[in-house]
Amino acid sequence: MILTGLAVIASCCNTKPEPFSVIPLPNEVSIGEGAFCIKGTKIQLDEALDDASAKAIGRFVRALETATGRKTRVGDGGIEFRLNPDLGSEQYYIKVETGGAEVEAADANGFIYACETLKQMLPAAIYGDRKVKAAWVLPCCEITDQPRFGYRGMHLDCSRHFWSVEETKRYIDVMTAYKLNRLHWHLTDDQGWRIEIKAYPRLTEISAWRDGTVVRKEWDNNDGIRYGGFYTQEELREVVDYAAERGITVIPEIDLPGHMVAALAAYPELGCTGGPYKVWERWGVAKDILCAGNEDVFTFLENVLSEVMDIFPSEYIHIGGDECFGGDAEPERPDPWDVCPKCAARMRELGIRKGPEAKHYLQNYVTARIQEFVNSKGRRIIGWDEILQGALAEGATVMSWRGVQGGIEASRKGFDAIMTPYTYLYLDYYQSKETDKEPFAIGGYLPLEKVYSYEPFDGITPGAESHILGVQANLWTEYITTPEHLEYMLLPRMCALSEVQWCDASRKDFARFDTSLDHTFAILDAMGVNYSLDCRGLIGLDRQETSNENQPD
Ligand code: ACM
Ligand code: ZN
């Protein structure tokens, strides 16, 4: 046995480790001389570790065994995982010496992130599914690491285009590798309702399907192809559990009272006009929304949200609230809330004075009623920053998307906020100026460096920073139809986001990040996940070479 161990050490320990290129960069790292060979290493687990931590370490060990082709053994003298209650939430400590490694954390997320850091210090093949001959050594180092923000989100729109459970799990896998911890799942919108609600079967029979989709932005051109899909409650729970095992909370969004045309197609009595409505086949902002004067709407929403909260254990439930007014498809038509007798009666009952602001106060009423219901179940609401217009009830969290102003205003007024400004964090925007080489996108221009440059405290009133819970990027999928394209838009921009979310501002350095990306590209190759190489001058899904003169400035 001893001889075998020595032979292993002799076979790989004089091999140099990978250059240190962990993303997001840990907050305290010192790299020493030498390395520790982990091929066939021993693994020691503290008996006090909870199931979630042990499972995370188990996944790491299986990845190690697959990639090295060598079984690990239980025992001292290899990698020791120890519970350290003195560390903070999500914090971890790693010490690697030539004779072994110690890993400490206080909770499952700490161990999950320690394992991800260990994986990123190893050859990229650790992310693959086959044995690879490589330098299976960890550099001698000491790392103490914890995130800057507690909320590190990524959003996914499965309404405009639908992503299978397997595709969604891959999305979660890349989020895990870069230490994100919230998946904001946009489950409902005008173009498709994706969540099974047992009390309302027509939401999946009718609302989950559209009869066609507009071609690009040619508003009069429809492909006529029936499109849709939904997740059963069992599938939703499977995704929730899969994410939870990786330290990710799934936050469901039921967008209300706007972005509800798909639901109205099935239950037209919930709209101001009574319909008929069709699941929307074009993009943009629809005029028709839920009627705020109809009590049945509140019964519907409470029943839907009850099932949602049963499936999703998340503290936060996202209730949307964006773009309720001024629908762009029918510019001449008034907003339904401005002309609906039931909405007018509700405004009178509430003492809301007539005028351009009236509908914002009526939206406040809807938000407050839903907030009260969600709170009564021990949960909290998040809404897009439109919920701030008028008078928002205490305790709501605001997601700032129309730039940073919503987050600045919310935090100044004492509301918690999550920063997701379109100006830095809308990953549906083009990432190169050579749009003719890019897959068709909604517009905009958001290169990698711009995402990386975002500083969430910029403009925040001094003293209000503690209200900024974190940062999230959004990926709307109107023009994204395949997982290859989805991943192309996501990566590597999500990796830049991860440093905004994780690293202290003083640790950020685009040149170092950009160099580290080469290892990330190898990791993504090993995972079989697509990504953009626009930042390397290879533009488009099929990675066309670009001339220097044409490179974005
Ligand atoms: C949004 O982009 N409508 C939140
Ligand atoms: Zn109405």
Side-chain angles (χ1 to χ4, degrees), residues 259 322-323 384 401 426 476:
H259 288 281
D322 58 323
E323 299 174 323
W384 297 112
W401 75 276
Y426 265 39
W476 303 100

Side-chain angles (χ1 to χ4, degrees), residues 353-371:
R353 279 208 299 272
K354 287 202 174 105
E357 292 303 305
K359 54 194 172 216
H360 296 302
Y361 286 99
L362 188 56
Q363 185 179 352
N364 291 152
Y365 166 76
V366 175
T367 306
R369 266 189 77 168
I370 298 303
Q371 182 177 5

Side-chain angles (χ1 to χ4, degrees), residues 270-273 289-294 336-337 339-344 362:
L270 303 179
C272 291
T273 66
I289 67 174
L290 295 173
C291 177
N294 180 351
W337 283 13
V339 290
C340 166
K342 287 190 285 256
C343 284
L362 188 56

Side-chain angles (χ1 to χ4, degrees), residues 208-336:
W209 308 95
R210 59 178 182 257
D211 284 339
T213 303
V214 64
V215 177
R216 292 158 70 106
K217 291 187 182 179
E218 299 157 21
W219 304 119
D220 296 324
N221 192 359
N222 186 307
D223 67 12
I225 300 168
R226 187 167 156 85
Y227 182 90
F230 65 91
Y231 307 104
T232 64
Q233 294 200 353
E234 204 176 307
E235 288 172 324
L236 293 160
R237 288 197 168 90
E238 184 184 329
V239 173
V240 167
D241 291 348
Y242 185 87
E245 284 185 1
R246 287 154 183 78
I248 295 172
T249 303
V250 182
I251 298 179
E253 180 184 353
I254 305 297
D255 202 346
L256 67 97
H259 288 281
M260 269 283 176
V261 173
L264 290 177
Y267 298 98
E269 64 277 14
L270 303 179
C272 291
T273 66
Y277 308 98
K278 264 198 105 185
V279 179
W280 231 29
E281 296 169 19
R282 57 159 280 158
W283 316 123
V285 179
K287 280 277 177 200
D288 289 303
I289 67 174
L290 295 173
C291 177
N294 180 351
E295 272 309 294
D296 292 345
V297 165
F298 293 93
T299 308
F300 169 80
L301 289 174
E302 290 183 6
N303 289 338
V304 166
L305 288 169
S306 293
E307 292 194 35
V308 167
M309 287 187 272
D310 202 40
I311 300 164
F312 294 92
S314 157
E315 178 190 11
Y316 284 111
I317 303 296
H318 202 302
I319 61 149
D322 58 323
E323 299 174 323
C324 296
F325 314 116
D328 56 14
E330 301 163 278
E332 305 307 322
R333 194 179 144 203
D335 285 326

Side-chain angles (χ1 to χ4, degrees), residues 54 107 127 145 178 191 274 284 326 350 372 387 445 456 476 498 516 550:
D107 57 19
Y127 289 87
D145 196 16
Y178 294 92
Q191 297 83 0
L350 296 169
E372 209 177 308
I387 66 171
Y445 173 54
W476 303 100
S498 79
S516 298
N550 288 337

Side-chain angles (χ1 to χ4, degrees), residues 455-467:
E455 168 43 53
F457 287 167
D458 274 354
I460 302 297
T461 307
E465 293 90 346
S466 63
H467 284 299

Side-chain angles (χ1 to χ4, degrees), residues 29 98 113 138 144 212 242 280 324 355 507 544 551:
V29 187
T98 50
Y113 303 143
L138 287 167
T144 305
Y242 185 87
W280 231 29
C324 296
R507 300 283 290 164
Q544 306 163 65
Q551 278 194 11

